[in-house]
């Protein structure tokens, strides 16, 4: 199984436990240990098909429709008015260049907060590549969930800060579409396997 590429500890442990249980059942029916082992291995199946199925199941750790909605919303927000007369792409440019402002280096927190939004934008841009890859690794997916949640907090805290400072009149629809895209992305990583997924897994294990 390791050679075939099934390296996830949980998957290997489940396969091993199932194999041991199957061998025990075969031996109870009167077969010798070696024969029981051979029959049990045949019943579990070949390594490569198992690897393919485990990848399909692991891929269900994230919600594709929500992620797609997040990416579309993010792109659309760049062409909508976000703040005042500024469109999304202009505001993103301000955020990206804020690190060069004197206020940033003098410890002005609103400017630092604005500059940090670029990190959230970069995570969103990279997420279409990260989600499919990281969904196959429990630890990496956990890190991505934490990162998307941190980006969500970063984005919405900035929006709420503007509102608290009386700037809500300058906030346009694009700002809320942009902020909502991070909520959707965060939710897309929180999908929990359902009973249907577990039943599919049992069929192959």
């Amino acid at each position: 199984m390791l050679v075939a590429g099934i390296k996830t500890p949980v998957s290997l442990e489940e396969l091993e436990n199932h194999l041991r249980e199957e061998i025990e059942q075969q031996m109870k029916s009167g077969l010798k240990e070696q024969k029981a082992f051979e029959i049990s291995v045949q019943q579990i199946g070949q390594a490569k098909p198992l690897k393919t199925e485990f990848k399909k199941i692991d891929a269900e750790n994230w919600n594709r429709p929500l992620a797609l909605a997040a990416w579309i919303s993010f792109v659309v927000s760049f062409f909508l008015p976000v703040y005042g007369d500024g469109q999304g792409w202009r505001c993103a440019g301000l955020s990206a260049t804020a690190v060069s402002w004197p206020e940033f280096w003098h410890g002005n927190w609103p400017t630092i907060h604005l500059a940090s939004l670029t990190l959230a934008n970069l995570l969103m841009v990279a997420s279409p590549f990260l989600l499919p890859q990281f969904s196959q690794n429990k630890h990496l997916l956990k890190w991505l969930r934490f990162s998307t949640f941190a980006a969500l907090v970063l984005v919405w805290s900035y929006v709420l800060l503007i509102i608290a400072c009386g700037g809500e009149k300058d906030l346009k629809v694009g700002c809320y579409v942009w902020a909502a895209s991070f909520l959707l992305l965060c939710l897309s990583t929180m999908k929990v396997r359902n009973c249907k997924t577990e039943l599919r897994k049992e069929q192959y294990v």
Side-chain angles (χ1 to χ4, degrees), residues 53-185:
E53 293 306 320
F54 272 112
K55 279 189 174 182
K56 289 179 182 178
I57 293 171
D58 287 337
E60 294 179 1
N61 280 332
W62 59 288
N63 191 310
R64 293 170 184 269
L66 278 181
L68 183 60
W71 300 329
I72 292 174
S73 300
F74 181 75
V75 172
V76 169
S77 71
F78 270 58
F79 301 95
L80 294 174
V82 170
Y83 187 82
D85 295 328
Q87 290 182 309
W89 64 271
R90 290 184 180 274
C91 294
L94 286 175
S95 174
T97 58
V99 69
S100 65
W101 299 355
E103 294 89 342
F104 179 90
W105 297 104
H106 286 92
N108 182 274
W109 282 107
T111 303
I112 294 173
H113 200 165
L114 174 63
S116 65
L117 296 178
T118 300
L119 297 175
N121 285 334
L122 289 175
L123 177 64
M124 179 65 80
V125 171
S127 63
F129 308 97
L130 297 179
L131 260 174
Q133 295 298 321
F134 284 19
S135 66
Q136 299 175 24
N137 185 297
K138 181 175 65 175
H139 300 293
L140 291 177
L141 183 59
K142 185 177 181 180
W143 176 87
L144 188 58
R145 283 171 177 160
F146 173 80
S147 299
T148 56
F149 179 75
L152 174 66
V153 172
L154 190 64
V155 166
W156 277 98
S157 63
Y158 191 79
V159 173
L160 293 175
L161 180 64
I162 293 176
I163 294 174
C165 293
E168 69 273 8
K169 292 182 180 179
D170 292 317
L171 293 179
K172 305 301 181 182
V173 63
C175 177
Y176 298 105
V177 173
W178 170 72
S181 69
F182 287 91
L183 175 61
L184 292 170
L185 181 66

